[in-house]
Amino acid sequence: MIENELYKELGKLTKSKGEWENNIPYVGALLSSESVKIKAKALWLLGEMGLAYPHSVKAYVLSIASFLDSEEPLLRERAANALGRIGRADYEIIKPFWKDMFRLSHDTIPNVRLSFIWASENIATNTPDIYEKHMQVFVELLNDSDDKVRMESPEIFRVLGKRRPALVRPYLEQLRFLSENDRNRVVRIHSLGAIKAVESVSIDTNKSDR
């Protein structure tokens, strides 16, 4: 099957969620394709499949993680995305590769750094405590040279702020400065969203203590 036909087939499978679990081995096998386009699509689809069926994709996580070292930026990006989605469903499955993901925070390609943040948000949704000693990585990304990265970076503080506000409180002043002064409107909005997430938890906690 030629590349374009195979890509279209994967597109159809993406929409057929009822067929996902049975097709995980088929999609996993495509990680060895010679086509970057097909491998990228397979990585993305395995991530979505893994969110729904984490234990069924477990056998392919090592292969997925190997693309964190790919020379192709798109494959590094998609590997992070996939690990993030699988890790959201079950952190233990991607735990051996979690620390390896952090080197993507300094990747030379902005979209890879962006995917690292997005993947971290996914994982932090259900496993927030593991980020306690790694907050400085995300603080640095608040001042990234790329606008798209800076637009996304406050979102990890919002996700963590809802779940573990104590992790975000030390950075509220910096987030407030961004929310009031950053030149990028989305950065301002997302920074304010992170602040509100922490404050809403504090209000709820105070009410429950009465």
Side-chain angles (χ1 to χ4, degrees), residues 15-53:
K15 299 175 183 178
S16 303
K17 295 184 178 182
E19 299 177 16
W20 279 6
E21 189 169 21
N22 290 336
N23 279 280
I24 287 172
Y26 167 63
V27 178
L30 294 176
L31 294 178
S32 60
S33 169
E34 294 183 2
S35 166
V36 171
K37 183 178 180 179
I38 295 303
K39 285 188 285 194
K41 185 67 172 179
L43 284 166
W44 183 86
L45 187 49
L46 282 171
E48 295 306 300
M49 290 171 158
L51 178 61
Y53 307 102

Short mmCIF file of all heavy atoms in Angstrom, two decimals, residues 15-53:
data_model
loop_
_atom_site.label_atom_id
_atom_site.label_comp_id
_atom_site.label_asym_id
_atom_site.label_seq_id
_atom_site.Cartn_x
_atom_site.Cartn_y
_atom_site.Cartn_z
N LYS A 15 -11.13 7.60 13.35
CA LYS A 15 -12.53 7.93 13.61
C LYS A 15 -13.36 6.72 14.08
O LYS A 15 -14.49 6.88 14.53
CB LYS A 15 -13.16 8.51 12.35
CG LYS A 15 -12.50 9.79 11.88
CD LYS A 15 -13.08 10.26 10.56
CE LYS A 15 -12.39 11.51 10.03
NZ LYS A 15 -12.93 11.94 8.72
N SER A 16 -12.79 5.52 13.95
CA SER A 16 -13.52 4.29 14.30
C SER A 16 -13.05 3.77 15.65
O SER A 16 -12.36 2.74 15.74
CB SER A 16 -13.31 3.24 13.20
OG SER A 16 -13.72 3.73 11.95
N LYS A 17 -13.41 4.46 16.71
CA LYS A 17 -12.89 4.13 18.04
C LYS A 17 -13.25 2.72 18.48
O LYS A 17 -12.53 2.11 19.26
CB LYS A 17 -13.37 5.16 19.06
CG LYS A 17 -12.83 6.56 18.80
CD LYS A 17 -13.25 7.53 19.88
CE LYS A 17 -12.66 8.91 19.63
NZ LYS A 17 -13.01 9.88 20.70
N GLY A 18 -14.37 2.21 17.99
CA GLY A 18 -14.78 0.86 18.35
C GLY A 18 -13.84 -0.21 17.83
O GLY A 18 -13.85 -1.35 18.31
N GLU A 19 -13.00 0.16 16.85
CA GLU A 19 -12.06 -0.79 16.27
C GLU A 19 -10.64 -0.63 16.81
O GLU A 19 -9.73 -1.36 16.41
CB GLU A 19 -12.04 -0.63 14.74
CG GLU A 19 -13.39 -0.88 14.09
CD GLU A 19 -13.34 -0.65 12.58
OE1 GLU A 19 -12.22 -0.59 12.03
OE2 GLU A 19 -14.41 -0.52 11.97
N TRP A 20 -10.45 0.31 17.70
CA TRP A 20 -9.10 0.63 18.16
C TRP A 20 -8.39 -0.55 18.82
O TRP A 20 -7.27 -0.88 18.45
CB TRP A 20 -9.16 1.80 19.13
CG TRP A 20 -9.24 3.14 18.45
CD1 TRP A 20 -9.38 3.36 17.11
CD2 TRP A 20 -9.18 4.42 19.07
NE1 TRP A 20 -9.42 4.71 16.86
CE2 TRP A 20 -9.31 5.39 18.05
CE3 TRP A 20 -9.06 4.84 20.39
CZ2 TRP A 20 -9.30 6.76 18.32
CZ3 TRP A 20 -9.04 6.21 20.65
CH2 TRP A 20 -9.16 7.15 19.63
N GLU A 21 -9.02 -1.14 19.81
CA GLU A 21 -8.31 -2.14 20.60
C GLU A 21 -7.82 -3.29 19.74
O GLU A 21 -6.67 -3.76 19.91
CB GLU A 21 -9.19 -2.66 21.74
CG GLU A 21 -8.41 -3.53 22.72
CD GLU A 21 -9.18 -3.82 23.99
OE1 GLU A 21 -10.42 -3.71 23.99
OE2 GLU A 21 -8.54 -4.18 24.99
N ASN A 22 -8.63 -3.76 18.83
CA ASN A 22 -8.23 -4.88 17.97
C ASN A 22 -7.13 -4.51 16.98
O ASN A 22 -6.42 -5.38 16.48
CB ASN A 22 -9.43 -5.42 17.20
CG ASN A 22 -10.42 -6.14 18.11
OD1 ASN A 22 -10.05 -6.63 19.18
ND2 ASN A 22 -11.68 -6.18 17.70
N ASN A 23 -6.98 -3.22 16.70
CA ASN A 23 -6.02 -2.77 15.70
C ASN A 23 -4.73 -2.23 16.30
O ASN A 23 -3.86 -1.75 15.57
CB ASN A 23 -6.65 -1.70 14.81
CG ASN A 23 -7.52 -2.30 13.72
OD1 ASN A 23 -7.02 -2.77 12.70
ND2 ASN A 23 -8.82 -2.30 13.96
N ILE A 24 -4.57 -2.32 17.60
CA ILE A 24 -3.35 -1.82 18.24
C ILE A 24 -2.10 -2.53 17.70
O ILE A 24 -1.10 -1.88 17.37
CB ILE A 24 -3.45 -1.92 19.77
CG1 ILE A 24 -4.41 -0.83 20.28
CG2 ILE A 24 -2.08 -1.77 20.43
CD1 ILE A 24 -4.75 -0.94 21.75
N PRO A 25 -2.10 -3.88 17.55
CA PRO A 25 -0.90 -4.53 16.98
C PRO A 25 -0.59 -4.05 15.56
O PRO A 25 0.60 -3.90 15.20
CB PRO A 25 -1.27 -6.01 17.00
CG PRO A 25 -2.28 -6.13 18.10
CD PRO A 25 -3.09 -4.88 18.01
N TYR A 26 -1.61 -3.83 14.78
CA TYR A 26 -1.41 -3.35 13.40
C TYR A 26 -0.75 -1.97 13.40
O TYR A 26 0.24 -1.72 12.69
CB TYR A 26 -2.76 -3.29 12.69
CG TYR A 26 -2.74 -2.53 11.38
CD1 TYR A 26 -1.98 -2.96 10.31
CD2 TYR A 26 -3.50 -1.37 11.23
CE1 TYR A 26 -1.97 -2.27 9.10
CE2 TYR A 26 -3.50 -0.67 10.04
CZ TYR A 26 -2.73 -1.12 8.98
OH TYR A 26 -2.71 -0.42 7.81
N VAL A 27 -1.27 -1.07 14.22
CA VAL A 27 -0.71 0.29 14.28
C VAL A 27 0.69 0.25 14.89
O VAL A 27 1.60 0.95 14.43
CB VAL A 27 -1.63 1.23 15.07
CG1 VAL A 27 -1.02 2.63 15.17
CG2 VAL A 27 -3.01 1.31 14.40
N GLY A 28 0.88 -0.59 15.89
CA GLY A 28 2.20 -0.72 16.50
C GLY A 28 3.25 -1.17 15.51
O GLY A 28 4.40 -0.71 15.53
N ALA A 29 2.87 -2.05 14.62
CA ALA A 29 3.80 -2.56 13.60
C ALA A 29 4.25 -1.45 12.65
O ALA A 29 5.35 -1.50 12.09
CB ALA A 29 3.16 -3.69 12.81
N LEU A 30 3.43 -0.43 12.50
CA LEU A 30 3.75 0.67 11.59
C LEU A 30 4.84 1.59 12.13
O LEU A 30 5.34 2.45 11.40
CB LEU A 30 2.49 1.49 11.28
CG LEU A 30 1.40 0.75 10.49
CD1 LEU A 30 0.17 1.63 10.35
CD2 LEU A 30 1.93 0.33 9.12
N LEU A 31 5.22 1.41 13.38
CA LEU A 31 6.33 2.19 13.94
C LEU A 31 7.65 1.87 13.23
O LEU A 31 8.60 2.63 13.32
CB LEU A 31 6.48 1.94 15.44
CG LEU A 31 5.32 2.43 16.32
CD1 LEU A 31 5.59 2.06 17.78
CD2 LEU A 31 5.12 3.94 16.18
N SER A 32 7.70 0.74 12.54
CA SER A 32 8.91 0.36 11.80
C SER A 32 8.82 0.76 10.33
O SER A 32 9.69 0.41 9.52
CB SER A 32 9.15 -1.15 11.90
OG SER A 32 8.05 -1.87 11.37
N SER A 33 7.80 1.51 9.96
CA SER A 33 7.64 1.98 8.59
C SER A 33 8.83 2.85 8.18
O SER A 33 9.45 3.51 9.02
CB SER A 33 6.34 2.78 8.44
OG SER A 33 6.28 3.45 7.21
N GLU A 34 9.13 2.87 6.90
CA GLU A 34 10.19 3.74 6.40
C GLU A 34 9.72 5.18 6.25
O GLU A 34 10.52 6.10 6.10
CB GLU A 34 10.71 3.22 5.06
CG GLU A 34 11.42 1.87 5.15
CD GLU A 34 11.97 1.42 3.82
OE1 GLU A 34 11.83 2.17 2.83
OE2 GLU A 34 12.55 0.31 3.75
N SER A 35 8.42 5.38 6.28
CA SER A 35 7.84 6.71 6.08
C SER A 35 7.72 7.47 7.40
O SER A 35 7.09 7.00 8.35
CB SER A 35 6.45 6.57 5.45
OG SER A 35 5.73 7.78 5.54
N VAL A 36 8.30 8.65 7.45
CA VAL A 36 8.17 9.50 8.64
C VAL A 36 6.71 9.87 8.86
O VAL A 36 6.22 9.89 10.00
CB VAL A 36 9.03 10.78 8.48
CG1 VAL A 36 8.73 11.78 9.61
CG2 VAL A 36 10.51 10.43 8.48
N LYS A 37 6.01 10.14 7.78
CA LYS A 37 4.60 10.52 7.87
C LYS A 37 3.76 9.42 8.50
O LYS A 37 2.90 9.69 9.36
CB LYS A 37 4.08 10.84 6.46
CG LYS A 37 2.64 11.32 6.39
CD LYS A 37 2.26 11.66 4.96
CE LYS A 37 0.81 12.13 4.86
NZ LYS A 37 0.44 12.49 3.47
N ILE A 38 4.01 8.18 8.12
CA ILE A 38 3.25 7.04 8.66
C ILE A 38 3.64 6.79 10.11
O ILE A 38 2.78 6.54 10.97
CB ILE A 38 3.47 5.78 7.81
CG1 ILE A 38 2.90 5.99 6.40
CG2 ILE A 38 2.83 4.57 8.47
CD1 ILE A 38 1.42 6.34 6.35
N LYS A 39 4.92 6.86 10.41
CA LYS A 39 5.35 6.66 11.80
C LYS A 39 4.76 7.74 12.71
O LYS A 39 4.33 7.44 13.83
CB LYS A 39 6.88 6.66 11.89
CG LYS A 39 7.52 5.38 11.37
CD LYS A 39 9.00 5.31 11.65
CE LYS A 39 9.79 6.21 10.74
NZ LYS A 39 11.24 5.90 10.77
N ALA A 40 4.72 8.96 12.21
CA ALA A 40 4.16 10.05 13.01
C ALA A 40 2.68 9.82 13.28
O ALA A 40 2.19 10.02 14.40
CB ALA A 40 4.37 11.39 12.31
N LYS A 41 1.96 9.38 12.26
CA LYS A 41 0.53 9.10 12.42
C LYS A 41 0.31 7.92 13.37
O LYS A 41 -0.60 7.94 14.21
CB LYS A 41 -0.10 8.79 11.06
CG LYS A 41 -1.61 8.60 11.10
CD LYS A 41 -2.34 9.89 11.45
CE LYS A 41 -3.84 9.72 11.28
NZ LYS A 41 -4.57 10.96 11.64
N ALA A 42 1.15 6.91 13.26
CA ALA A 42 1.03 5.74 14.14
C ALA A 42 1.31 6.12 15.59
O ALA A 42 0.61 5.66 16.51
CB ALA A 42 2.01 4.65 13.68
N LEU A 43 2.29 6.97 15.82
CA LEU A 43 2.61 7.42 17.18
C LEU A 43 1.43 8.18 17.77
O LEU A 43 1.03 7.95 18.92
CB LEU A 43 3.85 8.32 17.17
CG LEU A 43 5.19 7.60 17.03
CD1 LEU A 43 6.29 8.60 16.70
CD2 LEU A 43 5.54 6.83 18.30
N TRP A 44 0.86 9.07 16.96
CA TRP A 44 -0.28 9.85 17.46
C TRP A 44 -1.46 8.94 17.78
O TRP A 44 -2.09 9.07 18.83
CB TRP A 44 -0.69 10.88 16.41
CG TRP A 44 -1.80 11.75 16.88
CD1 TRP A 44 -1.69 12.91 17.61
CD2 TRP A 44 -3.21 11.53 16.71
NE1 TRP A 44 -2.94 13.41 17.90
CE2 TRP A 44 -3.89 12.59 17.36
CE3 TRP A 44 -3.95 10.54 16.07
CZ2 TRP A 44 -5.28 12.67 17.38
CZ3 TRP A 44 -5.34 10.62 16.08
CH2 TRP A 44 -5.98 11.68 16.74
N LEU A 45 -1.73 8.00 16.88
CA LEU A 45 -2.88 7.11 17.07
C LEU A 45 -2.66 6.17 18.26
O LEU A 45 -3.58 5.91 19.03
CB LEU A 45 -3.14 6.31 15.79
CG LEU A 45 -4.40 5.44 15.75
CD1 LEU A 45 -5.64 6.22 16.21
CD2 LEU A 45 -4.61 4.90 14.34
N LEU A 46 -1.45 5.69 18.44
CA LEU A 46 -1.16 4.83 19.60
C LEU A 46 -1.34 5.59 20.91
O LEU A 46 -1.77 5.01 21.91
CB LEU A 46 0.26 4.27 19.51
CG LEU A 46 0.47 3.11 18.55
CD1 LEU A 46 1.96 2.80 18.40
CD2 LEU A 46 -0.28 1.85 19.02
N GLY A 47 -1.04 6.88 20.89
CA GLY A 47 -1.28 7.69 22.07
C GLY A 47 -2.75 7.76 22.41
O GLY A 47 -3.15 7.59 23.57
N GLU A 48 -3.57 7.99 21.40
CA GLU A 48 -5.02 8.05 21.62
C GLU A 48 -5.58 6.68 22.02
O GLU A 48 -6.43 6.58 22.90
CB GLU A 48 -5.72 8.58 20.37
CG GLU A 48 -5.36 10.01 20.02
CD GLU A 48 -5.59 10.96 21.17
OE1 GLU A 48 -6.73 11.07 21.64
OE2 GLU A 48 -4.61 11.59 21.64
N MET A 49 -5.09 5.64 21.36
CA MET A 49 -5.49 4.29 21.73
C MET A 49 -5.06 3.97 23.17
O MET A 49 -5.78 3.33 23.92
CB MET A 49 -4.86 3.28 20.78
CG MET A 49 -5.43 3.30 19.36
SD MET A 49 -4.45 2.26 18.24
CE MET A 49 -5.64 1.93 16.94
N GLY A 50 -3.88 4.45 23.52
CA GLY A 50 -3.35 4.19 24.85
C GLY A 50 -4.10 4.90 25.95
O GLY A 50 -4.16 4.41 27.08
N LEU A 51 -4.70 6.04 25.62
CA LEU A 51 -5.54 6.72 26.60
C LEU A 51 -6.76 5.88 26.91
O LEU A 51 -7.21 5.80 28.05
CB LEU A 51 -5.95 8.09 26.08
CG LEU A 51 -6.87 8.92 26.97
CD1 LEU A 51 -6.21 9.24 28.31
CD2 LEU A 51 -7.29 10.20 26.27
N ALA A 52 -7.28 5.21 25.88
CA ALA A 52 -8.47 4.37 26.05
C ALA A 52 -8.13 2.96 26.55
O ALA A 52 -8.87 2.39 27.36
CB ALA A 52 -9.22 4.28 24.72
N TYR A 53 -7.00 2.42 26.06
CA TYR A 53 -6.62 1.05 26.39
C TYR A 53 -5.13 1.00 26.76
O TYR A 53 -4.31 0.42 26.03
CB TYR A 53 -6.87 0.13 25.19
CG TYR A 53 -8.27 0.20 24.64
CD1 TYR A 53 -8.56 0.91 23.47
CD2 TYR A 53 -9.32 -0.46 25.29
CE1 TYR A 53 -9.84 0.97 22.98
CE2 TYR A 53 -10.61 -0.40 24.79
CZ TYR A 53 -10.87 0.32 23.64
OH TYR A 53 -12.16 0.38 23.15
#
